[in-house]
Amino acid sequence: MSLLVCENIVKEFGGEENRIAVLKGVSLSLEKGEAATILGSSGAGKSTLLNIIGALDPPSSGKVYLDGEDLYALNDRKISALRNRKLGFVFQLYHLMAELTALENVLLPARIMGHEDAKARARAKELLCAVGLKDREKHFPAQLSGGEQQRAAIARSLINSPELLLADEPTGNLDRKNSENITELLVKLQKEMGFAMLFVTHNRELSSLGRTLVLQDGTLSEAGGKDNLTTPKI
Ligand SMILES: Nc1ncnc2c1ncn2[C@@H]1O[C@H](COP(=O)(O)OP(=O)(O)O)[C@@H](O)[C@H]1O
Ligand SMILES: [Mg+2]
């Protein structure tokens, strides 16, 4: 069974006067432990799709199945529980809590789950080490560079051992060198830890991560697939 299946996702915004269809029938499946890049220009609907997959915003129509479970058929409490247990998120803006240290930020999702015990602390330290922030545990976000803040955010996204990591333009705020380093780090962690990952970017140079899918004109297709023989204009 696939970890993630999206069936004919449609997402419209606006009312009768100004309705726009951002996603016009997106289908996708991702296996356990598989990585894919979703490439699309600004405004293509990448964040909209990731928010739907991430159980943050329901589609106008279509289905999302996570581990065979029809996501939006669940009640809100079950959706939140599933989000906390199975999904990890990394965003362009790191969204670290300014008043918490790097270690406390990484521990936050475990605390929300009620698991802030010695085991979680040890795991948080291990993750900070894995992302190259071993000596930065006690630093606050303002004391870290952009690349370091994103590393802390990546460690935080992995503390509850997600099955699927959703990374929405995680390098969008970083210079070229840091972008490459963060991308390489995500690839390394994904291989080592075996979670599945959807990596969203508008930067074609970063699209070497797993399968490449192109989001264009509200539909998603495999890059180089028969639907997409021409190079997308991005
Ligand atoms: N909540 C919303 N209400 C109205 N329009 C929205 C909303 N969210 C996104 N959009 C529109 O949907 C389109 C896709 O946005 P988005 O998914 O953020 O694109 P991307 O992440 O690819 O840059 C844009 O035209 C945006 O203005
Ligand atoms: Mg976006």
Side-chain angles (χ1 to χ4, degrees):
M1 184 175 60
S2 299
L3 173 66
L4 171 72
V5 176
C6 297
E7 272 178 14
N8 213 16
I9 302 290
V10 172
K11 182 70 177 180
E12 295 174 333
F13 291 112
E16 267 176 34
E17 298 289 295
N18 59 355
R19 194 185 319 272
I20 49 159
V22 174
L23 304 176
K24 300 176 183 167
V26 167
S27 297
L28 160 70
S29 63
L30 195 71
E31 303 307 312
K32 287 195 165 68
E34 189 184 14
T37 300
I38 296 179
L39 192 60
S41 51
S42 174
K46 303 181 300 297
S47 296
T48 301
L49 177 60
L50 227 58
N51 289 343
I52 291 171
I53 293 171
L56 295 166
D57 192 25
S60 306
S61 65
K63 298 275 191 190
V64 180
Y65 298 95
L66 195 62
D67 265 338
E69 194 135 39
D70 182 350
L71 200 55
Y72 290 100
L74 301 173
N75 64 31
D76 286 353
R77 194 180 48 83
K78 284 193 173 157
I79 289 187
S80 308
L82 184 142
R83 190 190 302 123
N84 290 334
R85 212 173 57 243
K86 296 202 173 173
L87 301 176
F89 295 87
V90 186
F91 301 99
Q92 175 171 352
L93 302 171
Y94 325 112
H95 299 308
L96 296 170
M97 306 283 278
E99 67 280 16
L100 300 182
T101 64
L103 181 64
E104 289 163 346
N105 266 288
V106 175
L107 268 169
L108 196 55
R111 182 187 295 175
I112 290 166
M113 295 272 279
H115 298 154
E116 196 197 353
D117 50 14
K119 207 169 133 202
R121 287 185 82 79
R123 180 70 184 140
K125 289 184 180 201
E126 251 173 50
L127 283 167
L128 278 171
C129 195
V131 300
L133 292 180
K134 188 172 184 297
D135 303 324
R136 301 297 195 129
E137 280 176 21
K138 298 205 173 90
H139 287 71
F140 291 92
Q143 299 170 314
L144 301 174
S145 71
E148 287 164 347
Q149 288 184 56
Q150 191 60 297
R151 287 168 185 273
I154 290 169
R156 178 186 58 186
S157 77
L158 298 174
I159 187 77
N160 289 336
S161 306
E163 286 190 51
L164 174 60
L165 184 68
L166 300 171
D168 191 356
E169 309 237 24
T171 64
N173 249 24
L174 300 174
D175 61 30
R176 191 191 170 105
K177 188 72 202 146
N178 273 296
S179 295
E180 286 169 6
N181 289 343
I182 289 290
T183 309
E184 278 167 24
L185 175 65
L186 284 170
V187 173
K188 175 173 156 280
L189 293 171
Q190 189 261 334
K191 291 209 171 110
E192 283 172 8
M193 295 172 64
F195 51 85
M197 170 159 66
L198 282 177
F199 178 93
V200 162
T201 181
H202 67 273
N203 185 350
R204 354 178 40 177
E205 289 175 22
L206 298 177
S207 69
S208 57
L209 202 148
R211 255 158 86 200
T212 302
L213 303 162
V214 177
L215 184 61
Q216 199 173 19
D217 301 327
T219 60
L220 192 68
S221 50
E222 299 273 345
K226 62 178 169 27
D227 301 341
N228 195 35
L229 289 172
T230 52
T231 311
K233 294 183 192 65
I234 289 163

